[in-house]
Amino acid sequence: MKKLIKFYAEWCGPCKSYAKIWDEVTPEFQGQVEFINIDVDNDTSGLAAKYKVRSIPFTVLIREDGSEITRTGLLTKNELTELILS
């Protein structure tokens, strides 16, 4: 199953806008994609460092084998849907 990781922070205005889009798209792909939310201010997993997150919101799409497909920033609903389907 692909993984989609969203990096964000509670204080980030664009992240709040993106959260609404993320929440709209998530139910459409349940069971097909694992959606992961990482608050960069409380990241104990080390994923923000692993993916060298320098700005937020930041999105990474991962293949089933763990290799990275792509990384990007803020997306529209259509762009996020297209990314998942790619």
Side-chain angles (χ1 to χ4, degrees):
M1 179 181 306
K2 290 181 189 175
K3 294 180 183 179
L4 193 61
I5 307 171
K6 176 185 72 174
F7 295 92
Y8 72 98
E10 291 296 324
W11 48 263
C12 169
C15 296
K16 291 177 184 178
S17 298
Y18 191 37
K20 293 175 187 174
I21 294 166
W22 183 271
D23 291 345
E24 286 180 39
V25 172
T26 301
E28 297 175 32
F29 295 97
Q30 286 297 344
Q32 301 171 43
V33 177
E34 181 181 354
F35 291 87
I36 302 167
N37 293 290
I38 302 291
D39 181 341
V40 295
D41 290 331
N42 299 306
D43 179 22
T44 58
S45 66
L47 287 175
K50 177 180 178 178
Y51 291 106
K52 298 179 174 98
V53 175
R54 301 283 183 245
S55 62
I56 51 175
F58 189 79
T59 308
V60 180
L61 183 60
I62 311 286
R63 286 185 183 90
E64 293 82 0
D65 66 5
S67 62
E68 183 180 323
I69 296 172
T70 191
R71 58 179 63 205
T72 186
L74 180 65
L75 299 169
T76 66
K77 182 178 179 182
N78 288 340
E79 291 169 335
L80 182 56
T81 301
E82 288 176 19
L83 178 69
I84 293 168
L85 294 173
S86 65

Coordinates of all heavy atoms in Angstrom, one line a residue:
M1 N 0.8 -1.2 0.0 CA 0.0 0.0 0.0 C 0.9 1.2 0.0 O 1.8 1.3 0.8 CB -0.9 0.0 1.2 CG -1.8 1.2 1.3 SD -2.9 1.2 2.8 CE -3.7 -0.3 2.8
K2 N 0.6 2.2 -0.9 CA 1.3 3.5 -0.9 C 1.1 4.2 0.5 O 0.1 4.0 1.1 CB 0.8 4.4 -2.0 CG 1.1 4.0 -3.4 CD 0.6 5.0 -4.3 CE 0.6 4.6 -5.8 NZ 0.0 5.6 -6.7
K3 N 2.0 5.0 0.8 CA 1.9 5.9 2.0 C 2.0 7.4 1.5 O 2.8 7.7 0.7 CB 3.0 5.6 3.0 CG 3.0 4.3 3.6 CD 4.1 4.1 4.6 CE 4.1 2.7 5.1 NZ 5.2 2.5 6.1
L4 N 1.2 8.2 2.1 CA 1.2 9.6 1.8 C 1.4 10.3 3.2 O 0.6 10.2 4.1 CB -0.1 10.0 1.2 CG -0.2 11.4 0.6 CD1 0.8 11.6 -0.5 CD2 -1.6 11.7 0.1
I5 N 2.5 11.0 3.2 CA 2.9 11.7 4.5 C 2.8 13.2 4.3 O 3.3 13.8 3.4 CB 4.4 11.3 4.9 CG1 4.6 9.8 4.9 CG2 4.7 12.0 6.2 CD1 6.1 9.5 5.0
K6 N 2.0 13.7 5.3 CA 1.8 15.2 5.3 C 2.6 15.7 6.5 O 2.3 15.3 7.6 CB 0.4 15.6 5.4 CG 0.1 17.1 5.5 CD -1.3 17.4 5.7 CE -1.8 17.0 7.1 NZ -3.1 17.4 7.5
F7 N 3.5 16.7 6.3 CA 4.2 17.3 7.4 C 3.6 18.7 7.5 O 3.3 19.4 6.5 CB 5.7 17.5 7.0 CG 6.4 16.2 6.9 CD1 6.5 15.5 5.6 CD2 7.0 15.6 8.0 CE1 7.2 14.3 5.5 CE2 7.6 14.4 7.9 CZ 7.7 13.7 6.7
Y8 N 3.3 19.1 8.8 CA 2.6 20.3 9.1 C 3.0 20.8 10.5 O 3.8 20.2 11.2 CB 1.1 20.1 9.0 CG 0.6 19.3 10.2 CD1 0.1 19.9 11.3 CD2 0.8 17.9 10.2 CE1 -0.4 19.2 12.4 CE2 0.3 17.2 11.3 CZ -0.2 17.8 12.4 OH -0.6 17.1 13.5
A9 N 2.5 22.0 10.8 CA 2.6 22.5 12.2 C 1.3 23.2 12.5 O 0.6 23.8 11.7 CB 3.8 23.5 12.3
E10 N 1.0 23.2 13.8 CA -0.3 23.8 14.3 C -0.4 25.3 14.0 O -1.4 25.8 13.7 CB -0.5 23.5 15.7 CG -0.8 22.0 16.1 CD -2.1 21.5 15.5 OE1 -3.1 22.3 15.5 OE2 -2.1 20.3 15.1
W11 N 0.7 26.0 14.0 CA 0.8 27.4 13.9 C 0.8 27.9 12.4 O 0.7 29.1 12.2 CB 2.0 28.0 14.6 CG 3.3 27.3 14.3 CD1 3.9 26.2 15.0 CD2 4.1 27.4 13.1 NE1 5.0 25.8 14.3 CE2 5.2 26.5 13.2 CE3 4.0 28.3 12.0 CZ2 6.2 26.4 12.2 CZ3 5.0 28.2 11.0 CH2 6.1 27.3 11.2
C12 N 0.9 26.9 11.5 CA 1.1 27.2 10.1 C -0.3 27.5 9.4 O -1.1 26.6 9.3 CB 1.8 26.1 9.4 SG 1.9 26.1 7.7
G13 N -0.5 28.7 8.9 CA -1.7 29.0 8.2 C -2.0 28.2 7.0 O -3.1 27.6 6.8
P14 N -1.0 28.1 6.0 CA -1.2 27.3 4.9 C -1.5 25.8 5.2 O -2.2 25.1 4.5 CB 0.1 27.4 4.1 CG 0.6 28.8 4.5 CD 0.2 28.9 5.9
C15 N -0.9 25.3 6.3 CA -1.1 23.9 6.8 C -2.6 23.7 7.2 O -3.1 22.7 6.9 CB -0.2 23.6 8.0 SG 1.6 23.7 7.6
K16 N -3.2 24.7 7.8 CA -4.6 24.6 8.2 C -5.5 24.5 7.0 O -6.4 23.8 7.0 CB -5.0 25.8 9.1 CG -4.3 25.8 10.4 CD -4.6 26.9 11.3 CE -3.8 26.9 12.6 NZ -4.0 28.0 13.4
S17 N -5.2 25.3 5.9 CA -5.9 25.2 4.7 C -5.8 23.9 4.0 O -6.7 23.3 3.6 CB -5.5 26.3 3.7 OG -5.7 27.6 4.2
Y18 N -4.5 23.4 4.0 CA -4.2 22.1 3.4 C -4.9 21.0 4.2 O -5.3 20.0 3.6 CB -2.7 21.9 3.4 CG -2.2 20.7 2.5 CD1 -2.9 20.4 1.4 CD2 -1.1 20.0 2.9 CE1 -2.4 19.3 0.6 CE2 -0.7 19.0 2.2 CZ -1.3 18.6 1.0 OH -0.9 17.6 0.2
A19 N -5.0 21.1 5.5 CA -5.7 20.1 6.3 C -7.1 19.8 5.9 O -7.6 18.7 5.9 CB -5.6 20.5 7.8
K20 N -7.8 20.9 5.5 CA -9.2 20.7 5.0 C -9.2 19.9 3.8 O -10.1 19.1 3.6 CB -9.8 22.1 4.8 CG -10.0 22.9 6.1 CD -10.5 24.3 5.9 CE -10.5 25.1 7.2 NZ -10.9 26.5 7.0
I21 N -8.3 20.2 2.8 CA -8.2 19.5 1.6 C -7.9 18.0 1.9 O -8.5 17.1 1.3 CB -7.2 20.1 0.6 CG1 -7.6 21.5 0.2 CG2 -6.9 19.2 -0.6 CD1 -6.6 22.4 -0.4
W22 N -6.9 17.8 2.7 CA -6.4 16.5 3.1 C -7.6 15.6 3.7 O -7.8 14.5 3.3 CB -5.3 16.6 4.1 CG -4.6 15.4 4.6 CD1 -5.0 14.6 5.7 CD2 -3.5 14.8 4.1 NE1 -4.1 13.6 5.9 CE2 -3.2 13.7 4.9 CE3 -2.6 15.1 3.1 CZ2 -2.1 12.8 4.7 CZ3 -1.5 14.2 2.8 CH2 -1.3 13.1 3.7
D23 N -8.4 16.3 4.5 CA -9.5 15.6 5.2 C -10.6 15.3 4.2 O -11.4 14.3 4.4 CB -10.1 16.5 6.3 CG -9.1 16.5 7.5 OD1 -8.1 15.7 7.6 OD2 -9.3 17.4 8.4
E24 N -10.8 16.1 3.1 CA -11.7 15.8 2.1 C -11.3 14.6 1.2 O -12.2 13.8 0.9 CB -11.9 17.0 1.1 CG -12.7 18.1 1.7 CD -12.8 19.3 0.7 OE1 -13.0 19.0 -0.5 OE2 -12.7 20.4 1.1
V25 N -10.0 14.4 1.0 CA -9.5 13.4 0.1 C -9.3 12.1 0.8 O -9.6 11.0 0.2 CB -8.2 13.9 -0.6 CG1 -7.5 12.7 -1.4 CG2 -8.5 15.1 -1.5
T26 N -9.0 12.1 2.1 CA -8.7 10.9 2.8 C -9.7 9.8 2.7 O -9.4 8.6 2.4 CB -8.3 11.2 4.3 OG1 -7.2 12.1 4.3 CG2 -8.0 10.0 5.1
P27 N -11.0 10.1 2.9 CA -12.0 9.0 2.9 C -12.2 8.4 1.5 O -12.5 7.2 1.4 CB -13.3 9.8 3.3 CG -12.9 11.0 3.9 CD -11.6 11.4 3.4
E28 N -11.8 9.1 0.5 CA -12.0 8.6 -0.9 C -11.0 7.4 -1.2 O -11.2 6.6 -2.1 CB -11.8 9.7 -1.9 CG -12.8 10.8 -1.9 CD -12.5 11.9 -2.8 OE1 -11.9 11.7 -3.9 OE2 -12.8 13.1 -2.5
F29 N -9.9 7.4 -0.4 CA -8.8 6.5 -0.7 C -8.5 5.5 0.5 O -7.4 4.9 0.5 CB -7.5 7.2 -1.1 CG -7.7 7.9 -2.5 CD1 -8.0 9.3 -2.5 CD2 -7.6 7.2 -3.7 CE1 -8.2 9.9 -3.7 CE2 -7.8 7.8 -4.9 CZ -8.1 9.2 -4.9
Q30 N -9.4 5.5 1.5 CA -9.2 4.6 2.6 C -9.0 3.1 2.1 O -9.8 2.7 1.2 CB -10.4 4.7 3.6 CG -10.4 5.9 4.4 CD -9.2 6.0 5.3 OE1 -8.4 5.1 5.6 NE2 -9.0 7.3 5.8
G31 N -8.1 2.4 2.6 CA -7.8 1.1 2.2 C -6.9 1.0 1.0 O -6.4 -0.1 0.7
Q32 N -6.6 2.1 0.3 CA -5.8 2.1 -0.8 C -4.4 2.8 -0.6 O -3.4 2.5 -1.2 CB -6.4 2.8 -2.0 CG -7.7 2.2 -2.4 CD -8.5 3.1 -3.4 OE1 -7.9 3.6 -4.3 NE2 -9.8 3.2 -3.3
V33 N -4.5 3.8 0.3 CA -3.3 4.6 0.7 C -3.3 4.8 2.2 O -4.4 5.0 2.8 CB -3.4 6.0 0.0 CG1 -2.3 6.9 0.4 CG2 -3.5 5.9 -1.5
E34 N -2.1 4.7 2.8 CA -2.0 5.0 4.2 C -1.7 6.4 4.4 O -0.7 6.9 3.8 CB -0.9 4.1 4.8 CG -0.7 4.3 6.3 CD 0.4 3.5 6.9 OE1 1.0 2.7 6.2 OE2 0.7 3.8 8.1
F35 N -2.5 7.2 5.1 CA -2.3 8.6 5.3 C -1.7 8.8 6.6 O -2.2 8.3 7.6 CB -3.7 9.3 5.2 CG -4.3 9.3 3.9 CD1 -5.1 8.3 3.4 CD2 -4.1 10.4 3.0 CE1 -5.7 8.3 2.2 CE2 -4.7 10.4 1.7 CZ -5.5 9.4 1.3
I36 N -0.5 9.5 6.6 CA 0.2 9.8 7.8 C 0.4 11.3 8.0 O 0.8 12.0 7.1 CB 1.6 9.1 7.7 CG1 1.5 7.6 7.5 CG2 2.5 9.4 8.9 CD1 2.7 6.9 7.1
N37 N 0.1 11.8 9.2 CA 0.2 13.2 9.5 C 1.4 13.3 10.5 O 1.4 12.7 11.6 CB -1.0 13.7 10.2 CG -2.2 13.8 9.2 OD1 -2.2 14.5 8.3 ND2 -3.2 12.9 9.4
I38 N 2.3 14.2 10.2 CA 3.5 14.4 11.1 C 3.6 15.9 11.4 O 3.8 16.8 10.5 CB 4.8 14.0 10.4 CG1 4.8 12.5 10.0 CG2 6.0 14.3 11.3 CD1 4.8 11.6 11.1
D39 N 3.4 16.2 12.7 CA 3.5 17.6 13.2 C 5.1 17.8 13.4 O 5.7 17.1 14.2 CB 2.8 17.7 14.5 CG 2.9 19.1 15.1 OD1 3.8 19.9 14.7 OD2 2.1 19.5 16.0
V40 N 5.7 18.7 12.6 CA 7.1 18.8 12.6 C 7.6 19.3 14.0 O 8.8 19.0 14.3 CB 7.6 19.8 11.5 CG1 7.4 19.1 10.1 CG2 7.0 21.1 11.6
D41 N 6.8 20.0 14.8 CA 7.2 20.4 16.1 C 7.2 19.3 17.1 O 7.9 19.4 18.2 CB 6.3 21.5 16.6 CG 6.5 22.8 15.8 OD1 7.6 23.1 15.3 OD2 5.5 23.6 15.7
N42 N 6.6 18.2 16.8 CA 6.5 17.1 17.8 C 6.9 15.8 17.1 O 6.4 14.7 17.5 CB 5.1 17.0 18.3 CG 4.7 18.2 19.1 OD1 5.4 18.6 20.0 ND2 3.6 18.8 18.7
D43 N 7.8 15.8 16.1 CA 8.1 14.6 15.3 C 9.2 13.8 16.1 O 10.4 14.1 16.1 CB 8.7 15.0 14.0 CG 9.1 13.9 13.1 OD1 8.6 12.7 13.4 OD2 10.0 14.1 12.2
T44 N 8.7 12.7 16.7 CA 9.6 11.8 17.4 C 10.0 10.7 16.5 O 10.9 9.9 16.8 CB 8.9 11.2 18.7 OG1 7.7 10.6 18.3 CG2 8.6 12.3 19.7
S45 N 9.4 10.6 15.3 CA 9.7 9.5 14.4 C 11.0 9.7 13.6 O 11.6 8.8 13.0 CB 8.5 9.3 13.4 OG 8.4 10.4 12.6
G46 N 11.4 11.0 13.5 CA 12.5 11.4 12.7 C 12.3 11.5 11.2 O 13.2 11.7 10.4
L47 N 11.0 11.4 10.8 CA 10.6 11.4 9.4 C 10.9 12.8 8.8 O 11.3 12.9 7.6 CB 9.2 11.0 9.2 CG 8.9 9.5 9.3 CD1 7.4 9.3 9.2 CD2 9.7 8.7 8.3
A48 N 10.7 13.9 9.5 CA 10.9 15.2 9.0 C 12.4 15.3 8.6 O 12.8 15.9 7.6 CB 10.5 16.3 10.0
A49 N 13.3 14.8 9.5 CA 14.7 14.9 9.2 C 15.1 13.9 8.0 O 15.9 14.3 7.1 CB 15.5 14.5 10.4
K50 N 14.5 12.8 8.0 CA 14.8 11.8 6.9 C 14.4 12.4 5.6 O 15.2 12.2 4.6 CB 13.9 10.5 7.2 CG 14.1 9.5 6.1 CD 13.3 8.2 6.3 CE 13.4 7.3 5.2 NZ 12.7 6.0 5.4
Y51 N 13.3 13.1 5.5 CA 12.9 13.6 4.2 C 13.3 15.1 4.0 O 12.9 15.7 3.1 CB 11.4 13.5 4.0 CG 11.0 12.0 3.8 CD1 10.4 11.3 4.9 CD2 11.3 11.4 2.7 CE1 10.1 10.0 4.7 CE2 11.0 10.0 2.5 CZ 10.4 9.3 3.5 OH 10.1 8.0 3.4
K52 N 14.2 15.6 4.9 CA 14.7 16.9 4.8 C 13.7 18.0 4.6 O 13.8 18.8 3.7 CB 15.8 16.9 3.7 CG 16.9 16.0 4.0 CD 18.0 16.0 2.9 CE 19.2 15.2 3.2 NZ 19.2 13.9 2.7
V53 N 12.7 17.9 5.5 CA 11.6 18.9 5.4 C 12.1 20.3 5.8 O 12.6 20.5 6.9 CB 10.4 18.5 6.3 CG1 9.3 19.6 6.3 CG2 9.8 17.2 5.9
R54 N 12.0 21.2 4.9 CA 12.5 22.6 5.1 C 11.4 23.6 5.1 O 11.6 24.7 5.6 CB 13.6 23.0 4.0 CG 14.8 22.1 4.0 CD 15.7 22.4 5.1 NE 16.9 21.6 5.0 CZ 17.3 20.6 5.9 NH1 16.5 20.4 6.9 NH2 18.4 19.9 5.7
S55 N 10.3 23.3 4.6 CA 9.1 24.2 4.6 C 7.9 23.3 4.7 O 7.9 22.1 4.4 CB 9.1 25.0 3.3 OG 8.9 24.2 2.2
I56 N 6.8 23.9 5.2 CA 5.6 23.2 5.4 C 4.4 24.1 4.8 O 4.6 25.3 4.7 CB 5.3 22.9 6.9 CG1 5.5 24.1 7.7 CG2 6.2 21.8 7.3 CD1 5.2 24.0 9.2
P57 N 3.3 23.4 4.4 CA 3.1 22.0 4.4 C 4.0 21.3 3.4 O 4.4 21.9 2.4 CB 1.6 21.9 4.0 CG 1.3 23.1 3.3 CD 2.2 24.2 3.9
F58 N 4.3 20.0 3.6 CA 5.2 19.2 2.8 C 4.6 17.9 2.7 O 4.1 17.3 3.7 CB 6.5 19.2 3.5 CG 7.6 18.6 2.7 CD1 8.3 19.3 1.7 CD2 8.1 17.3 2.9 CE1 9.3 18.8 0.9 CE2 9.1 16.7 2.2 CZ 9.7 17.5 1.2
T59 N 4.5 17.3 1.5 CA 3.9 16.0 1.2 C 4.8 15.1 0.5 O 5.5 15.5 -0.4 CB 2.6 16.2 0.3 OG1 1.8 17.2 0.9 CG2 1.8 14.9 0.2
V60 N 4.9 13.9 1.0 CA 5.8 12.8 0.4 C 4.9 11.6 0.1 O 4.2 11.1 0.9 CB 6.9 12.4 1.3 CG1 7.8 11.4 0.6 CG2 7.8 13.6 1.7
L61 N 5.0 11.1 -1.1 CA 4.3 9.9 -1.6 C 5.3 8.8 -1.7 O 6.4 8.9 -2.3 CB 3.6 10.1 -2.9 CG 2.8 8.9 -3.4 CD1 1.6 8.6 -2.5 CD2 2.2 9.3 -4.8
I62 N 5.0 7.7 -1.0 CA 6.0 6.5 -0.9 C 5.3 5.3 -1.5 O 4.2 5.0 -1.3 CB 6.3 6.2 0.6 CG1 6.6 7.5 1.4 CG2 7.3 5.1 0.7 CD1 8.0 8.0 1.1
R63 N 6.1 4.6 -2.3 CA 5.7 3.3 -2.9 C 5.6 2.2 -1.8 O 6.1 2.4 -0.7 CB 6.7 2.8 -3.9 CG 6.7 3.6 -5.2 CD 7.7 2.9 -6.2 NE 7.8 3.7 -7.4 CZ 8.7 4.6 -7.6 NH1 9.6 5.0 -6.7 NH2 8.6 5.3 -8.7
E64 N 5.0 1.1 -2.2 CA 4.8 0.0 -1.3 C 6.1 -0.6 -0.8 O 6.2 -1.0 0.3 CB 4.0 -1.2 -2.0 CG 2.6 -0.8 -2.4 CD 2.4 0.0 -3.6 OE1 3.4 0.3 -4.3 OE2 1.3 0.3 -4.0
D65 N 7.2 -0.4 -1.7 CA 8.5 -1.0 -1.3 C 9.3 0.0 -0.4 O 10.4 -0.3 -0.1 CB 9.3 -1.4 -2.5 CG 9.7 -0.2 -3.4 OD1 9.4 1.0 -3.1 OD2 10.3 -0.4 -4.5
G66 N 8.7 1.2 -0.1 CA 9.4 2.2 0.7 C 10.1 3.2 0.0 O 10.6 4.2 0.6
S67 N 10.2 3.1 -1.3 CA 11.0 4.1 -2.1 C 10.0 5.3 -2.4 O 8.8 5.2 -2.5 CB 11.5 3.5 -3.4 OG 10.4 3.1 -4.2
E68 N 10.7 6.5 -2.4 CA 9.9 7.7 -2.6 C 9.5 7.9 -4.1 O 10.3 7.6 -5.0 CB 10.8 8.9 -2.2 CG 10.2 10.2 -2.3 CD 11.1 11.3 -1.9 OE1 11.9 11.2 -1.0 OE2 11.0 12.4 -2.5
I69 N 8.2 8.3 -4.3 CA 7.7 8.6 -5.6 C 7.9 10.0 -5.9 O 8.5 10.4 -6.9 CB 6.2 8.2 -5.7 CG1 6.0 6.7 -5.5 CG2 5.7 8.7 -7.1 CD1 4.6 6.2 -5.5
T70 N 7.5 10.9 -5.0 CA 7.6 12.3 -5.2 C 7.4 13.0 -3.9 O 7.0 12.5 -2.9 CB 6.6 12.8 -6.2 OG1 6.9 14.2 -6.6 CG2 5.2 12.8 -5.7
R71 N 7.8 14.3 -3.9 CA 7.6 15.2 -2.7 C 7.2 16.6 -3.3 O 7.6 17.0 -4.4 CB 8.9 15.3 -1.9 CG 10.0 15.9 -2.7 CD 11.3 16.0 -1.9 NE 11.8 14.8 -1.3 CZ 12.6 14.7 -0.3 NH1 13.0 15.7 0.4 NH2 13.0 13.5 0.2
T72 N 6.3 17.2 -2.5 CA 5.7 18.5 -3.0 C 5.3 19.3 -1.8 O 5.3 18.8 -0.7 CB 4.6 18.2 -4.0 OG1 4.2 19.5 -4.6 CG2 3.4 17.5 -3.4
G73 N 4.8 20.5 -2.1 CA 4.2 21.3 -1.0 C 2.7 21.3 -1.0 O 2.1 20.2 -1.2
L74 N 2.1 22.4 -0.8 CA 0.7 22.6 -0.8 C 0.0 22.2 -2.1 O 0.5 22.6 -3.2 CB 0.4 24.1 -0.5 CG -1.1 24.5 -0.3 CD1 -1.7 23.8 0.9 CD2 -1.2 26.0 -0.2
L75 N -1.0 21.4 -2.0 CA -1.7 21.0 -3.2 C -3.2 21.3 -3.2 O -3.8 21.4 -2.1 CB -1.6 19.5 -3.4 CG -0.2 18.9 -3.5 CD1 -0.2 17.4 -3.4 CD2 0.4 19.3 -4.8
T76 N -3.8 21.5 -4.3 CA -5.3 21.6 -4.4 C -5.9 20.2 -4.2 O -5.2 19.2 -4.3 CB -5.7 22.2 -5.7 OG1 -5.4 21.3 -6.8 CG2 -5.1 23.6 -6.0
K77 N -7.2 20.1 -4.1 CA -7.8 18.8 -4.0 C -7.6 18.0 -5.2 O -7.3 16.8 -5.1 CB -9.3 19.0 -3.7 CG -10.1 17.7 -3.6 CD -11.5 17.9 -3.3 CE -12.2 16.5 -3.1 NZ -13.6 16.6 -2.9
N78 N -7.7 18.6 -6.4 CA -7.5 17.9 -7.6 C -6.0 17.4 -7.8 O -5.8 16.3 -8.2 CB -7.9 18.7 -8.9 CG -9.4 18.9 -9.0 OD1 -10.1 18.1 -8.5 ND2 -9.8 19.9 -9.7
E79 N -5.1 18.3 -7.4 CA -3.7 17.9 -7.5 C -3.4 16.8 -6.5 O -2.6 15.9 -6.9 CB -2.8 19.1 -7.1 CG -2.8 20.2 -8.2 CD -2.2 21.5 -7.8 OE1 -2.1 21.8 -6.5 OE2 -1.7 22.2 -8.7
L80 N -3.9 16.8 -5.3 CA -3.7 15.8 -4.3 C -4.3 14.4 -4.8 O -3.6 13.4 -4.8 CB -4.3 16.1 -3.0 CG -4.1 15.1 -1.9 CD1 -2.6 14.8 -1.6 CD2 -4.7 15.6 -0.6
T81 N -5.5 14.5 -5.4 CA -6.1 13.3 -6.0 C -5.3 12.7 -7.1 O -5.0 11.5 -7.2 CB -7.5 13.6 -6.5 OG1 -8.3 14.1 -5.3 CG2 -8.2 12.4 -7.1
E82 N -4.8 13.6 -8.0 CA -4.0 13.1 -9.1 C -2.7 12.5 -8.6 O -2.2 11.5 -9.2 CB -3.7 14.3 -10.1 CG -4.9 14.7 -10.9 CD -4.6 15.9 -11.8 OE1 -3.4 16.2 -12.0 OE2 -5.6 16.6 -12.2
L83 N -2.1 13.1 -7.6 CA -0.8 12.6 -7.0 C -1.1 11.2 -6.5 O -0.3 10.3 -6.7 CB -0.4 13.5 -5.9 CG 0.9 13.0 -5.1 CD1 2.1 13.1 -6.1 CD2 1.1 13.8 -3.9
I84 N -2.1 11.0 -5.8 CA -2.5 9.6 -5.2 C -2.7 8.6 -6.4 O -2.2 7.5 -6.2 CB -3.7 9.7 -4.3 CG1 -3.4 10.5 -3.1 CG2 -4.2 8.3 -3.9 CD1 -4.6 10.9 -2.2
L85 N -3.3 9.0 -7.4 CA -3.6 8.1 -8.5 C -2.4 7.9 -9.4 O -2.5 6.9 -10.2 CB -4.8 8.7 -9.3 CG -6.1 8.7 -8.6 CD1 -7.2 9.4 -9.5 CD2 -6.6 7.3 -8.3
S86 N -1.3 8.6 -9.2 CA -0.2 8.5 -10.1 C 0.6 7.2 -9.8 O 0.5 6.6 -8.9 CB 0.8 9.6 -9.9 OG 1.3 9.7 -8.6

